[in-house]
Each structure stands twice: as C-alpha cells, then as structure tokens.
C-alpha cells in the first residue's frame, strides 16, 4: 500500500476530527466548571452514536451504489461515472462550505457551544442529558458524514483510504486529549489555516475527478446510443477539449512522488483543457473566499458620548 494514497483521507479526517474534538472538549470543560460532570456519560454516548452513525452512513452509501449498479447492469458504464460525479459534487459543496463557514465562525464557536449547552442544562433530569447527547451527536455525525462522503469519492484508494481515516481519527483524538486533558498548548488557529490550505487543494483535485467522470459518462452514452447524438465535440476527449499535457512517462500519478502530488495538489499526468479551466476557476474563486475569511473582522467604532453644552 502506498502511503501517499492515504494522505487526502488523513488530512480530511484529522481536520474534521479536531473540529469535533473541540466541541467535545468545550462541553466537557463546561460540565466540569458547572459541577455537572455526572453528565459526561451522555457526552461519551453522543460520541459513540456519532461514530456508529457515520459508519452506517458509509454502509448505506456502499449498498446504494452496489444496488444501483447491479440493477442497471446494461447502463453501468453511464451510471457509475454519473454516481461518482454526484458524490464528488456533494463532497465539494459540503467541504468548501464547511471550510469557509468554520473559519468565519471560529471566533464565536466557544460562545455558541456554551450557549447551546446552557440551554440544555436548564432542563431537568434526563432532558438535560439528552440535550448534551444531541449536541455532541450532531457535531460528531456532521464531521463523520463529510469524511465518509470524501472516502466514497475516492473509492480507488481501497485500503489506503481506511488507513488514512483511522490515522486521522487517532491524530484528532490525540490533539483533543492534549488540549483539554494535559493542557498542551497548540496554536489551533494556525493548525486550521494550514489544514485549510491542504483541504482547498484536495477539494480542487475532486473538481478534476468530476470532469473526468462526466466525460466518461458522455463517452459511454455516445457509444451506446442507437443513433449518433454528436455529444462528443472533441477528438482527444468527449467534453473536455484538447489534451494539454501527458507527463505519464516523466511523473506518473500512479507512483511516488506523482501519487503524492495527485493526493495533495490535484495533479494529473493527463490533463485536458476543460479540467484545467475548472480546476483553476474553483481554486481561484473558493480560495479567494477562504483567504478573505481568514482576515480579522473589522469592529465598528463605538460612537463617543458628547455632553450637550
């Protein structure tokens, strides 16, 4: 197994896992501070339920893909790339939105979690426990769903994807314990900035995969069509236009270090014009939004009080 193939899933799982670990750590710290540590059990149950829910989501996606493919074997060459394109697009939208939204909300994350927790603790008996449970469940399940969805957009990783996810989860757990249990000082802001850059590049690589899958679906449709549809308008590809380069003999994306560049930067040894345009457009537009979200928000000046003469 090439470790390079596991890196994207590792980065995604590590970042998403640390986000969930921050929520868990803040909740546990607040419970201890308020003298209600007896509700910690509900926190652990929420973590367990979130992880189980994420795994079940993965099995459900796998079963759905297999069922759709088997039940439509004749059109498998069209359906499979279209399904992969749909999963990739969903992952691109969710990961991009979470990247920008989380960066913008990072400054108020602690206060928002504490506010939700206070509302839950105002209830009596098991109602307070269920409130804590749901708060943790939603946080873990949200991050877990995004990770599972990304893994399914990279089915070709095989075992590498699972190894990367497990390593990322272990790393996120270690960071969470280091921060809240042992008081280790980590620049969380810098951590998310660096992980955000990697995430942006990885998601940009998914844009290239979407283009490839759509082109494969269009080519399969053209081959299976009873009468010519003239869907393909390029010679080198069906929808992507002319090929810009072929570096497979110099730097193959199936072997190190090309596989590493493919995993983290979206590199491909075969690139067509449509893929290059889509990659550049996405990277520029979403990258600009992300960099803007890193800028400190301007605080409106407080009007000075004047005394009437």
């Amino acid at each position: 197994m090439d470790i390079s193939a596991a890196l994207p899933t590792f980065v995604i799982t590590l970042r998403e896992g640390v986000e969930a670990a921050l929520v868990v750590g803040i909740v546990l710290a607040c419970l201890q501070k308020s003298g209600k540590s007896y509700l910690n059990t509900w926190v652990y149950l929420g973590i367990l339920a979130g992880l189980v829910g994420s795994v079940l989501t993965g099995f459900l996606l796998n079963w759905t893909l297999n069922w759709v493919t088997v039940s439509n074997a004749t059109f498998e060459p069209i359906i499979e790339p279209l399904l992969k394109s749909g999963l990739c697009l969903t992952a691109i939208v969710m990961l991009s939105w979470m990247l920008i939204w989380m960066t913008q909300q990072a400054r108020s994350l602690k206060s928002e979690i504490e506010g939700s927790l206070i509302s839950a603790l105002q209830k009596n008996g098991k109602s307070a426990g269920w409130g804590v449970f749901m708060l943790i469940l939603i946080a873990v399940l949200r991050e877990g769903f995004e990770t599972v969805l990304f893994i399914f957009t990279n089915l070709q990783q095989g075992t590498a994807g699972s190894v990367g996810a497990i390593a990322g989860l272990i790393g996120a757990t270690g960071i969470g314990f280091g921060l809240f249990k042992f008081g280790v000082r980590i620049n969380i802001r810098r951590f998310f900035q660096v992980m955000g850059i990697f995430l942006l590049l990885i998601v940009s690589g998914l844009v290239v995969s979407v283009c490839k899958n759509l082109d494969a679906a269009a080519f399969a449709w053209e081959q299976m069509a009873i009468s010519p549809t003239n869907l393909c308008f390029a010679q080198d590809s069906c929808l992507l236009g002319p090929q810009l380069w072929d570096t497979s003999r110099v730097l193959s994306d199936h072997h190190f270090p090309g596989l590493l560049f493919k995993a983290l930067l979206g590199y491909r040894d075969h690139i067509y014009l449509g893929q290059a345009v889509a990659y550049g457009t996405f990277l520029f537009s979403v990258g600009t939004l992300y960099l803007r979200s890193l800028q400190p928000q301007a605080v409106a000046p407080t009007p000075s009080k004047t005394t009437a003469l």
Side-chain angles (χ1 to χ4, degrees):
M1 181 192 68
D2 197 319
I3 300 300
S4 303
L7 283 176
T9 308
F10 170 76
V11 172
I12 297 291
T13 307
L14 180 64
R15 189 184 189 282
E16 303 299 321
V18 170
E19 288 183 14
L22 288 177
V23 176
V24 171
I26 292 173
V27 170
L28 288 174
C30 290
L31 290 177
Q32 182 178 9
K33 185 177 180 180
S34 61
K36 296 187 177 182
S37 297
Y38 61 86
L39 293 175
N40 286 358
T41 302
W42 291 95
V43 175
Y44 304 137
L45 289 175
I47 296 173
L48 179 62
L51 292 175
V52 172
S54 300
V55 173
L56 291 178
T57 300
F59 280 116
L60 180 61
L61 282 174
N62 185 52
W63 178 84
T64 303
L65 288 173
N66 290 334
W67 178 79
V68 172
T69 302
V70 172
S71 60
N72 299 274
T74 304
F75 297 97
E76 180 182 356
I78 300 174
I79 293 176
E80 184 176 354
L82 285 178
L83 286 175
K84 289 183 179 179
S85 297
L87 288 174
C88 280
L89 285 172
T90 305
I92 289 170
V93 172
M94 290 192 63
L95 291 173
S96 301
W97 180 77
M98 283 303 300
L99 172 64
I100 298 172
W101 179 84
M102 186 63 187
T103 304
Q104 293 175 337
Q105 299 297 317
R107 302 175 185 89
S108 59
L109 177 65
K110 184 177 180 181
S111 59
E112 290 180 0
I113 295 174
E114 290 177 345
S116 300
L117 183 61
I118 290 173
S119 299
L121 294 180
Q122 289 176 348
K123 302 175 183 178
N124 297 322
K126 289 187 177 181
S127 296
W130 279 111
V132 174
F133 172 82
M134 292 303 300
L135 179 63
I136 299 298
L137 171 63
I138 292 173
V140 175
L141 190 59
R142 180 185 63 199
E143 310 303 342
F145 176 74
E146 293 173 4
T147 303
V148 168
L149 189 60
F150 176 80
I151 292 175
F152 268 83
T153 63
N154 293 268
L155 293 175
Q156 70 276 9
Q157 289 183 359
T159 306
S162 301
V163 172
I166 294 173
L169 185 61
I170 294 174
T173 303
I175 291 176
F177 270 102
L179 287 172
F180 296 100
K181 187 70 175 178
F182 304 108
V184 177
R185 293 181 177 271
I186 300 175
N187 191 331
I188 290 296
R189 183 170 179 268
R190 183 67 62 187
F191 169 83
F192 278 114
Q193 287 178 352
V194 174
M195 289 293 102
I197 295 296
F198 279 121
L199 179 60
L200 178 63
L201 293 172
I202 291 171
V203 175
S204 298
L206 292 181
V207 174
V208 178
S209 297
V210 169
C211 294
K212 178 182 178 181
N213 287 322
L214 290 177
D215 185 72
F219 179 79
W221 174 266
E222 186 72 15
Q223 296 296 313
M224 296 177 64
I226 299 177
S227 59
T229 59
N230 297 323
L231 188 61
C232 298
F233 58 85
Q235 294 181 351
D236 295 333
S237 66
C238 199
L239 302 175
L240 303 178
Q243 181 174 277
L244 297 184
W245 70 69
D246 178 1
T247 56
S248 56
R249 294 184 179 181
V250 180
L251 188 62
S252 172
D253 60 19
H254 295 288
H255 305 285
F256 184 86
L259 186 60
L260 178 63
F261 296 150
K262 177 182 179 180
L264 296 180
L265 305 177
Y267 165 79
R268 299 293 190 277
D269 54 24
H270 290 79
I271 282 290
Y272 295 88
L273 178 62
Q275 290 175 306
V277 171
Y279 180 91
T281 302
F282 176 86
L283 186 60
F284 175 79
S285 57
V286 178
T288 300
L289 292 175
Y290 174 63
L291 292 177
R292 286 179 179 176
S293 69
L294 294 176
Q295 301 300 321
Q297 297 178 350
V299 179
T302 304
S304 59
K305 297 181 179 179
T306 56
T307 304
L309 299 177

